[in-house]
Amino acid sequence: IKGPLKLLLCGKIVDFSLLPFGAVLNSDTMKYAEIPESQAIRRVVTIENKANFMSASYEEDVLYIFTHGFFAPRERAFLRQLNQALKQTDVEYLHSGDLDYGGIRIYQNIQKNVFPELQPYLMDAVTFQEFSSEVIPKDKAYLDKLKKMDVPTELEELKACILKAGGIIEQESMLGWNIT
């Protein structure tokens, strides 16, 4: 994680805003930590790729979460607890991932199992066109699998771009692009 998350752990408040380069929460920390409702978080951004996560600039009201793919059960439980703690505030939930089949699946999984309010970030037609020189061609079987995939309305344009281009864009191609 990277951002202003506060946890109650062993009777003490741990303030991760003091670690602007980020920190790792292990499974025991997630199991035993309590998440106070008083948080300075106004935006939660899940990021699929570690290099993109690391390059995201620290912002006082943004909590970045490195997804590393699909969240494990304990991670999902912890993040649902976070979502509950943030219910009293106006928080925006965004996900930035690969512009491909896997990125769409990860987005859907987070939206279904963790943050129902989730919206895609830099996973749209404009971003795809901006980085079209980075398209990695995919074979017919891959494209057919994507074609059959049901996607949320907010990702239909991305799916169409991938199919039209006949390839995908890895999130690493967008390093240096401002993630927030």
Side-chain angles (χ1 to χ4, degrees), residues 2 20-22 47 49-59 64 66 96 122 171-180:
K2 186 188 314 184
F21 303 108
I47 302 174
N49 178 274
K50 187 175 183 181
N52 295 78
F53 168 81
M54 295 302 295
S55 72
S57 300
Y58 181 86
E59 293 192 29
Y64 298 101
F66 170 51
S96 182
L122 299 177
Q171 191 177 32
E172 298 92 323
S173 300
M174 297 185 276
L175 277 174
W177 185 271
N178 189 4
I179 200 76
T180 56

Side-chain angles (χ1 to χ4, degrees), residues 40-97:
I41 299 167
R42 298 294 167 252
R43 179 184 282 172
V44 174
V45 181
T46 56
I47 302 174
E48 182 180 337
N49 178 274
K50 187 175 183 181
N52 295 78
F53 168 81
M54 295 302 295
S55 72
S57 300
Y58 181 86
E59 293 192 29
E60 289 182 5
D61 62 352
V62 178
L63 176 63
Y64 298 101
I65 302 169
F66 170 51
T67 70
H68 63 76
F70 293 93
F71 289 124
R74 186 160 293 158
E75 292 168 324
R76 286 193 306 269
F78 176 80
L79 293 173
R80 282 192 295 266
Q81 183 184 359
L82 173 65
N83 193 25
Q84 280 303 117
L86 297 176
K87 284 288 186 203
Q88 306 306 318
T89 58
D90 186 27
V91 176
E92 180 180 25
Y93 295 89
L94 303 170
H95 176 73
S96 182

Side-chain angles (χ1 to χ4, degrees), residues 3 13 30 39 54-55 78 82 90 151 153 156 170 174:
I13 294 289
M30 287 184 276
Q39 299 284 338
M54 295 302 295
S55 72
F78 176 80
L82 173 65
D90 186 27
V151 300
T153 304
E156 285 178 358
E170 298 285 347
M174 297 185 276

Side-chain angles (χ1 to χ4, degrees), residues 25-44:
L25 302 181
N26 65 31
S27 59
D28 283 341
T29 299
M30 287 184 276
K31 180 178 181 179
Y32 295 109
E34 295 177 43
I35 303 173
E37 288 185 7
S38 59
Q39 299 284 338
I41 299 167
R42 298 294 167 252
R43 179 184 282 172
V44 174

